[in-house]
């Protein structure tokens, strides 16, 4: 379970600290835009692979039953929470994102 948490934190830090800051501009100045995109894509893929492996190990963890067994009270909240999630997904997809790779920076 800690492996999964560490992978998720690393993936978040990679995107927030490097891509979402001025550090990106410094790295691009050193190695160029194309090289940065390649290295960043490779690092993102490595983090996603680590996330997948962490998820696979977390599924075999004894904590899995305790953490992921649905409770009756939570089953009542499932439909409204899924509706909210769907609305947030639609809003996220239809809103312009300034951090999208290749877009102009704001």
């Amino acid at each position: 379970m800690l492996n999964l948490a560490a992978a998720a934190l690393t993936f978040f830090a990679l995107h927030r600290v490097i891509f979402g800051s001025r550090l990106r501009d410094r790295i691009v100045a050193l190695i160029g835009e194309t090289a940065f995109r390649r290295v960043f894509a490779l690092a993102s893929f490595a983090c996603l692979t680590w996330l997948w492996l962490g998820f696979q190990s977390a599924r075999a963890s004894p904590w899995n039953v305790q953490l992921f067994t649905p409770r009756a009270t939570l089953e009542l909240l499932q439909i409204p929470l899924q509706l909210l999630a769907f609305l947030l997904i639609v809003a996220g997809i239809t809103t312009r994102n300034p951090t999208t790779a290749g877009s102009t920076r704001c």
Side-chain angles (χ1 to χ4, degrees):
M1 189 64 72
L2 291 176
N3 192 21
L4 178 62
L9 183 64
T10 302
F11 186 77
F12 174 76
L14 176 70
H15 285 77
R16 183 66 186 137
V17 173
I18 294 177
F19 198 79
S21 70
R22 293 291 174 205
L23 181 59
R24 177 192 184 281
D25 297 334
R26 291 182 191 161
I27 295 172
V28 168
L30 288 173
I31 65 173
E33 181 72 30
T34 304
F36 172 78
R37 286 187 183 190
R38 289 180 182 159
V39 170
F40 190 80
L42 185 63
S44 295
F45 182 74
C47 284
L48 287 173
T49 303
W50 185 16
L51 272 168
W52 178 72
L53 292 172
F55 176 75
Q56 293 299 326
S57 67
R59 288 178 67 186
S61 171
W63 285 37
N64 193 25
V65 174
Q66 296 173 354
L67 290 175
F68 299 111
T69 302
R71 309 280 190 257
T73 54
L74 293 178
E75 289 178 1
L76 296 173
L77 295 174
Q78 178 183 4
I79 298 296
L81 287 177
Q82 284 184 341
L83 177 62
L84 176 64
F86 178 75
L87 293 174
L88 290 174
I89 288 170
V90 169
I93 290 172
T94 58
T95 304
R96 185 177 176 278
N97 185 354
T99 62
T100 302
S103 69
T104 59
R105 295 185 76 116
C106 295

